[in-house]
């Protein structure tokens, strides 16, 4: 499924605490050109993990790596929701 962008970009970062660690991710509708350039040819899954690796501190990435898979999927959904991105029909 392809993601559809919000009509108005959300500029605020997505911020959550995971295991006592602040996790801060850029809005998916307001990515800097350098990030877009680095993920532009990647599939959806590779792009998401690359964004995590490029955006999170080592401590934040370690906290995400240790998440339960269901909790991780929920985190990714909240990140999309915060960014105003919805999953489109294929």
């Amino acid at each position: 499924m392809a993601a559809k962008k919000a009509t108005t970009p959300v500029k605020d970062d997505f911020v959550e605490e995971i295991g006592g660690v602040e996790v801060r991710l850029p809005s998916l509708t307001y990515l800097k050109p350098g990030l877009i350039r680095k993920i532009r040819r990647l599939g959806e899954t590779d792009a998401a993990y690359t964004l995590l690796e490029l955006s999170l501190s080592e401590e934040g990435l370690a906290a995400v790596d240790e998440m339960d898979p269901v909790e991780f999927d929920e985190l990714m959904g909240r990140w999309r929701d915060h960014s105003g991105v919805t999953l489109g029909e294929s």
Side-chain angles (χ1 to χ4, degrees):
M1 288 188 214
K4 292 184 179 180
K5 286 191 174 183
T7 50
T8 303
V10 175
K11 293 181 180 183
D12 298 331
D13 286 346
F14 171 74
V15 182
E16 274 202 24
E17 188 172 305
I18 299 170
V21 176
E22 181 182 272
V23 171
R24 179 176 296 272
L25 295 163
S27 170
L28 294 167
T29 57
Y30 202 73
L31 295 174
K32 291 185 177 182
L35 284 176
I36 294 170
R37 181 179 52 76
K38 290 174 183 174
I39 66 170
R40 72 185 182 277
R41 293 188 182 110
L42 301 177
E44 194 172 314
T45 300
D46 285 336
Y49 281 101
T50 299
L51 280 174
L52 290 174
E53 292 167 349
L54 294 172
S55 301
L56 294 175
S57 66
E58 286 185 36
E59 190 177 37
L61 190 57
V64 169
D65 283 349
E66 293 300 317
M67 291 182 79
D68 173 272
V70 172
E71 292 173 349
F72 176 75
D73 285 343
E74 292 170 351
L75 173 75
M76 298 301 280
R78 289 190 301 275
W79 183 20
R80 283 191 300 270
D81 290 346
H82 166 85
S83 300
V85 175
T86 60
L87 293 178
E89 296 182 21
S90 54

